[in-house]
Structure formats: structure tokens, C-alpha cells
Amino acid sequence: PGVVPATFRAPTPPEIRVVHSLHASHMQHVALLVVDCQPVYWDAQTAVRSMRPRLPAVVGGVLSRARSVLSPPQIVHVRANYTFRFAQNFKLLNPDKPLPSDIQACEWAASRVGEQIVVKGSFDSFHET
């Protein structure tokens, strides 16, 4: 009892493959953050659009992929809707820079039913959100 015959061989363990893919992982601790994809930062910014012409396609592709493997609450849209005090001070320092007037997203980054929308009140995406 408890003695292993000399002819016994442990089975060869299966090959362990490290895959950095959403499809191959458990998704409980994964989220996609889509930050500041708002018309004031894209539609109204010719220079930004010319520097990053593929941004809508890339963000759209990432959202499509995430929606195929994540549940809606795991997709989080962070959008600016600055507080009055912040906007007032910002405009004093930057009178020519636009600020968003609402939390609408660019068409190519719009949220879907069940996806989370976090509204930020200052320029720091994570400050008090």
C-alpha cells in the first residue's frame, strides 16, 4: 500500500500555453474603459482628426471585440461633463479651448444598453469618479 510500481509513469501534463487574448481568459476582472470620445474632442478638432485619422475605426474595432466577449457592465464609458467651478476656471485660463456641454459620445464610440457611463466633473478621468 502506498508503493508505486517501478513501471508506473505519471502522465505527461498538457502543454501550458500562455495566451494574452480575451477569448482565452476568464473575464470576471476585465473591463474596457472608453475615455473622452466626445464630439467636442473629435468632431470639432480638425488637427486631432488629421493626426489620428484611424481613431474611430480603431475604437470601433476594440468596442466590437469587447462586446463579443464581455458583458455590458464590463464596458465603461468615461465622459466629461465638467462642474461649473471647474469650467469657469478652465475658461478663464483657456478661453479658446472648447469644453463639452453634455455627455454625448461620438457616433463611433456610443454606448449600448447596459454599458456603464461614468461622468467626470474635472479633467482627470479618475478624480472623484
Side-chain angles (χ1 to χ4, degrees), residues 61-95:
V62 169
L63 275 167
S64 178
R65 168 100 170 155
R67 287 173 174 145
S68 72
V69 296
L70 299 175
S71 63
Q74 290 173 282
I75 299 172
V76 181
H77 301 264
V78 180
R79 298 190 187 141
N81 189 7
Y82 298 125
T83 63
F84 175 74
R85 179 177 291 287
F86 175 84
Q88 186 179 37
N89 290 333
F90 182 89
K91 281 307 210 180
L92 286 172
L93 297 171
N94 306 283

Side-chain angles (χ1 to χ4, degrees), residues 30-39 41 56 58-67 70-81 102-121 124-126 129:
V30 174
L32 172 66
L33 297 178
V34 181
V35 180
D36 288 346
C37 291
Q38 294 174 262
Y41 301 126
V58 171
V59 171
V62 169
L63 275 167
S64 178
R65 168 100 170 155
R67 287 173 174 145
L70 299 175
S71 63
Q74 290 173 282
I75 299 172
V76 181
H77 301 264
V78 180
R79 298 190 187 141
N81 189 7
D102 60 36
I103 61 167
Q104 290 300 99
C106 292
E107 188 176 309
W108 42 267
S111 59
R112 291 191 181 167
V113 173
E115 295 175 358
Q116 304 297 305
I117 298 174
V118 175
V119 179
K120 62 181 182 165
D124 183 345
S125 299
F126 303 100
T129 56

Side-chain angles (χ1 to χ4, degrees), residues 23 43 49 85 98:
H23 283 297
D43 298 341
R49 288 195 325 268
R85 179 177 291 287

